Every structure is written in structure tokens, then in C-alpha cells.
Amino acid sequence: MTAATALPAPPATERHRADFTNLVRAEFIKLRTVRSTYWTLLIAFTANIGFAVVAASAIAPRLSAHDRDQIDVVQLALAGIHLSQIAYGVLGALTITGEYGSGMIRATFAATPRRRALLTAKALVFTGVTLVTATVSAFVAYLAFDAALPANTLSGTALSDPGIARAVAGGGLYLTALGLLGFGLGVVLRSSAGAIATVFGVLFVPPLLLDLLPGSWKDAVGPAVPMQAGTQVYVAVRHETAALAPWTAFAVFCAYTAAALLAGFLLVNRRDA
């Protein structure tokens, strides 16, 4: 009779890696089986492409010669981002607050006591889905804009022209960072309504408050407020002397996102589900 030989247990690092891979798979299944994911992405795609076609066919031909020389073609083509940014901010918040609202977060934390690992998996899945869909929608919107643009209306609109492809890709980066800001606020506030309202407040309230400041203060503070900083990354040609450079401005916007995520990761282990 042969004695049974126990197989050695895999190293702890391998077990953690396998557990984290399973977490990522589980979070991807959650995200793709929730209807709100499809609705928000559909709204974002429709807004980006619809506004691009309207801008090319109705707005661009009516610009004066002076405006055509000054207009930033990518910002005109990606005008739909002003609406789709709301969709991505909402999706980021709902990715975590949906479970808090339904009470499913208790079962999730019971099954995965390593809460920060769980949040990391959620954030990675959301980042991957958002980065792909937002970047694709930005490029499709720009191509639709270019196709709908009447001949000889605007110059320098090809993706191969200097700064165009970088700026269009920047639109996808901005939407991704904004979605992660909504995710971080969702972890902090644990309420869909509270997180969504805060995202809207972060985007739209500071520009209104800037109008109350003296001119010199506005020039100093204005370029660093969230919306102004974030949207600079999809500017193809800089026309505003007070604005930050695209990548510098985007780094400032990412700092807001990082602060929200850091706050969420610090608080998640200190509170009950």
C-alpha cells in the first residue's frame, strides 16, 4: 500500500495573485451585467458622435473667417464631451455605490475581506472599460466630424496633422480620469445621489465661483480648477495664454482624482459596510 503524499501548498504570493485575478474577473462580470453600464456608455457614444456631426454640418460652415483661424478643431469636434463627461462620472460613481445602495456590498466584503484589494480590482476593471470605450468614442466622433465637414471649411483637420491625434486621445484620457474621480467619491460617500451631485459640483461650481473673483485672482486660480485643467488635454492648439500646457493641466486634474481615490482607500477599512 502506498502512502499518500501531500502536495506542497503554493507560495503565498502565487495565491494572492490568483485571488486577485479572480477578483478582477468577478468585477468585470459585475460591470458588464448591470444595465446602467450599457445605458451610460450608449449616452456617451451618442453625445460624442451626435454633437460632432452637428458641429461639422451646422456650426463650422457658419463661422467667420476670423473664428475659423482661431477655433480649436478638436474641441469643436469633441463638443459632445460636455455631455458624455456626465455619463462617465455617473458610471464611475455607480460602479461602487450601486452595491452600497442594494446592500450587496456586505456580501462582497464578507466574501473578500481584503477590501483594498477589492477596490483595486474594481478600479482596474473600470479604468480598462472606460479607457477603451472613451477613446474609441472620441476617435469615432472625430472621424464623423471630419466626414460631415463640408469641403474647404476648416484646414488642418486630418488625424495626421500635428497635435490632432494626441488631442483626440486626450479626450478619452479626460473621460477616464473623470470616471475614476466619480468612483473615488463613490467610495468616500457611499451614496449614489451624494457622489453624483459631488461630481457635478466639482465640475460646474468652481467656474461659476471664478466669476466672483478679481481678474488677477481668476487668471491665477482659473487654469487649475478641475474642468479647466482636465479639458486642456484635448486641446490641439493652445490659444489662451493663461491656460496650462495640456499634459501639465491633465496632471493637475489627475491629482484631484488621486485625492478622491486615496481618501476612499483610506476610509474603506475604517467603516462598517
Side-chain angles (χ1 to χ4, degrees):
M1 185 174 181
T2 4
T5 307
L7 294 174
T13 52
E14 289 186 14
R15 290 201 306 273
H16 287 164
R17 192 180 299 117
D19 290 344
F20 187 74
T21 302
N22 290 332
L23 272 179
V24 170
R25 288 174 182 162
E27 291 305 323
F28 180 68
I29 291 171
K30 284 183 188 178
L31 188 63
R32 70 180 175 83
T33 52
V34 177
R35 275 183 291 183
S36 60
T37 301
Y38 296 97
W39 279 111
T40 51
L41 293 179
L42 178 62
I43 290 169
F45 264 83
T46 304
N48 284 350
I49 298 167
F51 274 85
V53 172
V54 170
S57 57
I59 298 176
R62 290 171 172 79
L63 294 174
S64 65
H66 176 266
D67 289 338
R68 290 180 188 181
D69 291 337
Q70 298 298 317
I71 197 75
D72 190 298
V73 65
V74 176
Q75 287 214 316
L76 179 61
L78 299 187
I81 284 183
H82 292 290
L83 180 59
S84 64
Q85 65 183 351
I86 297 173
Y88 277 102
V90 168
L91 180 59
L94 292 179
T95 299
I96 182 67
T97 59
E99 287 194 65
Y100 277 106
S102 65
M104 283 299 296
I105 197 68
R106 298 185 184 91
T108 300
F109 284 158
T112 312
R114 295 165 58 216
R115 294 184 177 188
R116 287 173 182 164
L118 173 69
L119 288 185
T120 302
K122 278 184 177 292
L124 284 176
V125 168
F126 177 77
T127 301
V129 170
T130 304
L131 184 60
V132 170
T133 58
T135 304
V136 168
S137 73
F139 275 96
V140 171
Y142 191 81
L143 292 174
F145 171 85
D146 201 33
L149 193 66
N152 303 319
T153 303
L154 294 173
S155 59
T157 62
L159 279 174
S160 56
D161 289 330
I164 299 294
R166 188 274 307 159
V168 176
L173 291 175
Y174 168 65
L175 292 174
T176 302
L178 177 60
L180 284 171
L181 175 63
F183 178 85
L185 291 172
V187 178
V188 172
L189 298 173
R190 302 186 296 179
S191 160
S192 297
I196 292 169
T198 305
V199 170
F200 291 171
V202 167
L203 287 178
F204 301 119
V205 172
L208 299 177
L209 296 179
L210 282 178
D211 291 334
L212 305 177
L213 297 177
S216 58
W217 291 19
K218 190 186 299 185
D219 292 340
V221 177
V225 301
M227 184 179 286
Q228 278 81 342
T231 55
Q232 286 300 308
V233 76
Y234 63 92
V235 171
V237 182
R238 284 183 60 203
H239 296 295
E240 297 179 15
T241 54
L244 298 173
W247 293 118
T248 303
F250 185 62
V252 171
F253 186 74
C254 287
Y256 291 110
T257 297
L261 290 171
L262 179 61
F265 273 72
L266 289 176
L267 289 173
V268 71
N269 281 345
R270 301 184 180 186
R271 301 185 298 195
D272 294 333

